[in-house]
Amino acid sequence: MATDQKYPLAPSNIMPRSDAEFATNNFQSNNQRRKKKLRSIFLLTIFLTGIILLFSFTFLRIKSPKIRIENIRITNDGDGRINFSAQVFLRNRNFWRYNYDSTIGTINTAEGTTIGRFVIPDGEVRRRSTKKVYVMENIILPSRLNNTSGILPVISEAKMRGKVKVFRVFRWKKNVDLSCTMSINLTISAIQDLDCQ
């Protein structure tokens, strides 16, 4: 008996999905998810490394503070003594506190003779700020002053020792040197040509 088949059993253009195809597609989607996770972890690691480097270069970079002497006033007693008063400015450029020890500064002539000493008491400079310290001293003029112009060139020097405290746990030693040259005009009791390095 011959049958006339009008409808085929399966369309010729549609292929059924087999277990092998399903496993291949599932493996490819797992690979893509794994690659996305690895890419995300890699980008997050780079981002966190950049933040840590920025933090370390900005906040953990320890610089030496700067010191200078200004607003110097002198009064000449006329008996070979000069009253010397000044302001010492200590500028902390760090994001952490700077603790410094008591320091003795000297005032020397150009020949190297010490004619006066002043004391900078110990203290602390807050982060990113400037501390002002007043110093006073009596300068004893050299007995043989070979200067007819009335101008005495002097050098003021001090070596300050201190530490920068990071998180109140870590400490970095940072020393500061004060070296200022100036000229004392004895006739008008004034300071000229002040230059601090």
Side-chain angles (χ1 to χ4, degrees):
M1 177 175 166
T3 57
D4 190 20
Q5 188 176 12
K6 293 182 182 179
Y7 301 105
L9 293 176
S12 61
N13 58 354
I14 298 175
M15 296 185 66
R17 197 165 122 181
S18 68
D19 288 340
E21 264 185 69
F22 177 72
T24 304
N25 289 341
N26 194 18
F27 179 73
Q28 288 175 352
S29 64
N30 282 343
N31 270 350
Q32 288 175 351
R33 273 189 247 138
R34 193 174 300 128
K35 285 180 182 176
K36 282 183 182 177
K37 283 182 183 177
L38 288 174
R39 192 179 312 132
S40 299
I41 291 172
F42 179 71
L43 291 175
L44 182 66
T45 305
I46 288 179
F47 177 72
L48 290 176
T49 304
I51 287 179
I52 290 171
L53 286 176
L54 180 69
F55 178 79
S56 64
F57 284 131
T58 304
F59 295 103
L60 294 180
R61 188 176 171 201
I62 307 300
K63 305 173 190 172
S64 292
K66 295 206 168 206
I67 189 170
R68 68 184 190 279
I69 190 166
E70 288 185 4
N71 301 330
I72 303 171
R73 293 187 181 159
I74 59 169
T75 54
N76 192 352
D77 290 345
D79 60 348
R81 288 177 174 254
I82 294 175
N83 296 323
F84 175 90
S85 65
Q87 292 176 341
V88 176
F89 290 90
L90 185 61
R91 184 164 72 97
N92 185 10
R93 304 180 293 163
N94 299 301
F95 286 94
W96 314 99
R97 293 179 182 264
Y98 179 69
N99 289 9
Y100 58 92
D101 299 332
S102 179
T103 305
I104 296 177
T106 59
I107 300 170
N108 303 323
T109 61
E111 292 82 23
T113 306
T114 301
I115 57 174
R117 297 180 192 275
F118 58 89
V119 176
I120 303 171
D122 61 343
E124 179 182 79
V125 186
R126 291 180 298 177
R127 57 189 171 97
R128 307 287 291 177
S129 65
T130 302
K131 184 173 185 177
K132 180 169 48 176
V133 179
Y134 293 95
V135 294
M136 296 178 67
E137 185 54 45
N138 289 328
I139 297 175
I140 301 172
L141 294 175
S143 57
R144 290 189 294 168
L145 184 62
N146 298 327
N147 196 341
T148 56
S149 64
I151 294 176
L152 176 65
V154 295
I155 302 168
S156 177
E157 295 177 323
K159 189 172 186 72
M160 183 175 285
R161 288 179 167 76
K163 295 176 184 173
V164 177
K165 290 184 177 179
V166 178
F167 295 123
R168 298 191 183 268
V169 177
F170 305 106
R171 292 182 172 96
W172 273 275
K173 290 183 180 179
K174 287 292 176 183
N175 298 335
V176 188
D177 292 331
L178 170 70
S179 179
C180 295
T181 59
M182 63 191 94
S183 298
I184 300 176
N185 192 328
L186 300 171
T187 56
I188 59 173
S189 297
I191 294 292
Q192 299 173 345
D193 307 324
L194 176 63
D195 182 27
C196 291
Q197 298 175 357

